[in-house]
Amino acid sequence: MTPEERYEKVKGLQPLELLYRREDEEPETVFLRQMQRRQWRDYTWREVMDRARRIAGCLRSRFEPGDRIAIHGKNCADWIIVDVGIMLAGMVSVPLYPGQSASSMSYVLKHSESKLLFCGATDNNAALQEVADTLPSVAIQRCEIHCAEELEAVIATSERYEERPVFDADDLFTIMYTSGTTGNPKGVMHSWSSVSFVVPNMIRGYGFNESDRVLSYLPLAHAAERILVEFHCLYSGTPVHFPESLDTFLEDLQRTKPTMFFSVPRLWTKFKEGIDEKIPPALQNVLLRIPGLSTWLKNKVRTGLGLDQARMLVTGASPISIELLRWYERMGMQIADGYGMTENFIYGCFVMPGEDPVPGTVGKPYHGCEVKISGEGEILFKSGALMKGYYLEPEKTAEAIRDGYYHTGDSGFIDERGLLHITGRISETFKTSKGKFIQPSLLEGHFGNETLLAQLCILGHGMDQPVMLVTLSESAEKLPRTEVNEQLRRVLESVNERLPQHERIRTIFICKEEWTPLNEFLTPTLKIKRKVLESHYQPLFKQYADASGIIWEPRDIASTEKLQADLQAAD
């Protein structure tokens, strides 16, 4: 069956309509595969629907259609089954990110007026326990969180909900909260028409089917994972695999051998760091120049990552460096970048299969999606995927959607081939004390291939010159400080030589701790919170206002003696 024929088969159908069809026509076909105790636990369409119908029966006995029901937990088969149960019950799902702080989760639960919280395993048990105690909760998986009920008990004691509802296209189906880069998360409202427009059109482009395989590990609370994995696989019949834990992730990836793999730039970087640890970059360059050994190296890398059968590799959610994309290309892996947001259900631009990815672009618009650049250089979108608005925030809705277009807040341009280029966030552009405007994401791209760096962020509002905060890669952490200083000095000098005077980076500050969602330097989707970093490191910037070169953050920022010692060492 061709992609166009698959599109015609599912065009305009809601997820539940597809589920009813699969429940009737292929009940014994496996849809979900959960790794448990190092064995796959398979869930057929019949079992998925039976569990979901019992969850729906429980919800219908306690709540009203349209009530909000929250889900929090790491990706697992029951996350999707619970989501289907909420759909069947005619209620509105409110996904929460596993890495969300307690204050952020509390805000979302209160703002959305959620009536029940389904809880699963998480890396932040203290935060989850804090919010789980505030309203009725059900444990999705075995976890340390105390909940009023266990999912298995709910399923065992609840009557099946036997009806087959199909909802009005304009009815509210989910509220997906943004990750809160600049403030409180906003509740993005999507109707049933959004998903029934987006997913069939994606199937038309991707061509996935029942013989493909997907591993799901990025948060299902994120629009990209929910659309690309949960709903795309539901519509195409592609089996979804779930790893057992973070510790077994690479082994589970190797066992799954996905044909489509979606990751974010931070994790693509981590994969590369792992390869660099085993095969130093200098040796890689030598091997890649020798035909036979080049093939051996590429096969070894792809097989080692479990991606030797992947026909589609995808990145998104945040900018990825051109140098990193080119490294993967040299290893025989083409990573396609994409661009979308929660507000348009990630239905934006993408490099379609069969097209050669062009590093530095995010491809062309999807079918039926219009993209244009405003007179101010802002990227605008219009399609059937646009949100209904922000929940309880009509003023912010009116600001975001004007004349039928969603205003992204990103700046960019479209080249002569119709490919979209993103140049940064309009709100992140800052002005130095010399009156020069700086786009930090463009400067950060110059350091994307530096193996010593794990994370980086350009700042400098009101300063004479931009500065850069960084965290070190695992390999760099093992090196003597003097060696790190020397290599970073050479890199800084090389980059600065290519930059205009006003863009040259004065200082690299090496931070003592990794930026994570738990310390709130990153959003749950691993986007950098620039304003949080800038505020936190202001004392360091002020202490080193006249310094240049490489500065290491001391254990105690307030310790003047340590600061002065580092300053002398940098000189």
Side-chain angles (χ1 to χ4, degrees):
M1 190 182 300
T2 68
E4 194 66 29
E5 289 171 334
R6 286 186 171 276
Y7 165 73
E8 290 295 333
K9 190 174 180 180
V10 300
K11 179 175 65 173
L13 295 181
Q14 293 179 11
L16 289 175
E17 294 178 276
L18 265 296
L19 285 163
Y20 304 148
R21 179 187 293 178
R22 298 193 186 284
E23 184 180 28
D24 292 339
E25 298 177 0
E26 45 186 313
E28 302 309 320
T29 299
V30 173
F31 174 42
L32 306 175
R33 306 193 77 200
Q34 176 72 58
M35 181 62 74
Q36 292 180 347
R37 300 180 182 87
R38 311 316 303 140
Q39 298 292 326
W40 290 117
R41 158 67 161 99
D42 291 345
Y43 294 80
T44 63
W45 290 107
R46 184 198 302 277
E47 186 173 7
V48 166
M49 288 302 290
D50 180 68
R51 292 172 73 85
R53 287 189 179 281
R54 296 181 186 280
I55 292 167
C58 172
L59 293 175
R60 294 281 297 195
S61 69
R62 304 182 189 186
F63 308 106
E64 298 296 323
D67 281 346
R68 270 73 68 200
I69 307 296
I71 315 175
H72 180 287
K74 290 183 178 180
N75 295 20
C76 62
D78 276 326
W79 200 107
I80 290 180
I81 291 169
V82 166
D83 196 22
V84 173
I86 295 170
M87 291 185 230
L88 274 167
M91 295 171 194
V92 178
S93 57
V94 180
L96 296 169
Y97 291 100
Q100 229 165 328
S101 65
S103 61
S104 179
M105 283 191 281
S106 295
Y107 173 84
V108 169
L109 293 172
K110 183 178 180 181
H111 185 264
S112 65
E113 300 175 291
S114 290
K115 298 294 180 67
L116 180 70
L117 173 62
F118 284 92
C119 301
T122 177
D123 293 326
N124 195 6
N125 284 325
L128 179 57
Q129 185 66 71
E130 185 175 331
V131 299
D133 290 339
T134 65
L135 79 168
S137 55
V138 175
I140 297 177
Q141 300 167 307
R142 294 175 60 189
C143 60
E144 298 174 12
I145 305 304
H146 173 73
C147 296
E149 299 174 89
E150 296 289 329
L151 183 63
E152 294 304 322
V154 168
I155 291 172
T157 59
S158 299
E159 292 187 12
R160 280 172 53 102
Y161 179 66
E162 297 293 355
E163 294 186 26
R164 295 188 166 204
V166 175
F167 299 98
D168 186 85
D170 199 47
D171 284 351
L172 184 60
F173 131 75
T174 190
I175 303 176
M176 300 193 72
Y177 279 78
T178 61
S179 54
T181 309
T182 57
N184 283 329
K186 297 188 288 289
V188 177
M189 298 185 291
H190 278 292
S191 64
W192 290 99
S193 63
S194 290
V195 66
S196 61
F197 170 82
V198 167
V199 186
N201 277 299
M202 283 188 169
I203 287 177
R204 169 189 281 179
Y206 298 163
F208 268 75
N209 57 48
E210 296 85 350
S211 64
D212 284 301
R213 294 177 303 281
V214 170
L215 181 75
S216 177
Y217 72 102
L218 294 175
L220 280 161
H222 191 285
E225 186 79 359
R226 202 168 180 207
I227 288 292
L228 288 177
V229 174
E230 178 182 1
F231 290 116
H232 191 266
C233 291
L234 187 158
Y235 274 72
S236 64
T238 303
V240 185
H241 299 66
F242 297 93
E244 184 161 7
S245 68
L246 184 62
D247 293 336
T248 66
F249 170 74
L250 187 55
E251 181 185 340
D252 294 341
L253 178 60
Q254 293 167 339
R255 291 176 68 169
T256 302
K257 292 189 177 295
T259 57
M260 190 281 274
F261 185 71
F262 170 51
S263 190
V264 293
R266 178 74 183 119
L267 294 171
W268 287 117
T269 300
K270 284 283 191 182
F271 287 161
K272 179 181 180 298
E273 287 177 2
I275 300 300
D276 290 344
E277 277 279 294
K278 297 176 181 178
I279 308 174
L283 179 56
Q284 293 174 25
N285 292 334
V286 172
L287 296 174
L288 287 171
R289 289 196 292 268
I290 304 172
L293 293 178
S294 175
T295 301
W296 170 83
L297 176 61
K298 293 175 184 178
N299 289 338
K300 182 176 179 63
V301 169
R302 290 197 298 266
T303 302
L305 292 176
L307 300 177
D308 49 307
Q309 294 184 24
R311 65 180 179 86
M312 186 176 173
L313 302 175
V314 183
T315 187
S318 59
I320 189 168
S321 74
I322 294 176
E323 287 80 5
L324 186 59
L325 290 175
R326 286 175 175 158
W327 182 86
Y328 277 97
E329 186 176 356
R330 289 197 299 273
M331 292 297 168
M333 291 178 279
Q334 294 277 3
I335 299 178
D337 202 352
Y339 173 62
M341 53 287 303
T342 308
E343 287 83 349
N344 71 349
F345 233 178
I346 72 155
Y347 198 72
C349 294
F350 190 70
V351 179
M352 292 297 176
E355 299 177 355
D356 289 330
V358 179
T361 79
V362 291
K364 297 178 181 179
Y366 286 109
H367 178 85
C369 178
E370 181 184 349
V371 58
K372 69 177 184 179
I373 309 298
S374 74
E376 294 74 34
E378 184 177 11
I379 302 169
L380 312 180
F381 280 111
K382 178 193 280 188
S383 76
L386 291 190
M387 65 176 178
K388 292 169 66 73
Y390 295 120
Y391 185 59
L392 300 180
E393 298 188 275
E395 292 182 359
K396 290 183 178 179
T397 299
E399 181 182 343
I401 299 180
R402 286 171 267 156
D403 300 322
Y405 285 89
Y406 171 61
H407 290 241
T408 65
D410 292 325
S411 59
F413 65 92
I414 300 173
D415 66 21
E416 66 280 357
R417 295 162 295 181
L419 299 169
L420 178 64
H421 298 247
I422 302 170
T423 55
R425 289 291 292 172
I426 292 174
S427 61
E428 291 177 350
T429 299
F430 61 83
K431 185 189 289 187
T432 66
S433 61
K434 299 175 183 177
K436 299 291 187 179
F437 285 97
I438 304 294
Q439 289 184 317
S441 61
L442 295 182
L443 293 185
E444 289 161 1
H446 290 285
F447 296 88
N449 204 35
E450 178 45 56
T451 59
L452 293 183
L453 304 182
Q455 300 164 295
L456 56 98
C457 177
I458 298 287
L459 299 168
H461 177 72
M463 300 181 187
D464 290 345
Q465 293 291 139
V467 299
M468 186 163 73
L469 290 170
V470 306
T471 63
L472 297 179
S473 64
E474 293 181 10
S475 59
E477 292 283 4
K478 301 173 184 177
L479 298 175
R481 181 174 293 196
T482 53
E483 187 174 336
V484 173
N485 283 347
E486 183 57 35
Q487 186 167 331
L488 288 183
R489 277 198 186 92
R490 290 198 300 269
V491 171
L492 185 60
E493 290 173 1
S494 174
V495 170
N496 279 340
E497 286 176 358
R498 306 193 299 270
L499 296 175
Q501 181 62 43
H502 70 277
E503 291 186 345
R504 293 179 180 175
I505 298 160
R506 186 191 69 211
T507 311
I508 294 179
F509 291 97
I510 300 177
C511 302
K512 65 185 179 185
E513 64 176 323
E514 183 181 11
W515 310 330
T516 70
L518 293 181
N519 58 29
E520 301 202 27
F521 290 142
L522 300 184
T523 70
T525 57
L526 305 185
K527 294 185 180 72
I528 289 173
K529 294 184 176 181
R530 291 182 188 273
K531 290 184 179 179
V532 174
L533 285 171
E534 189 168 33
S535 174
H536 180 82
Y537 286 102
Q538 274 301 318
L540 195 63
F541 297 156
K542 290 179 180 178
Q543 188 72 33
Y544 287 110
D546 299 322
S548 61
I550 315 300
I551 304 293
W552 293 67
E553 179 190 2
R555 289 291 176 182
D556 179 5
I557 290 180
S559 171
T560 303
E561 292 182 1
K562 290 182 179 180
L563 288 170
Q564 293 300 333
D566 276 356
L567 183 57
Q568 293 172 3
D571 291 338

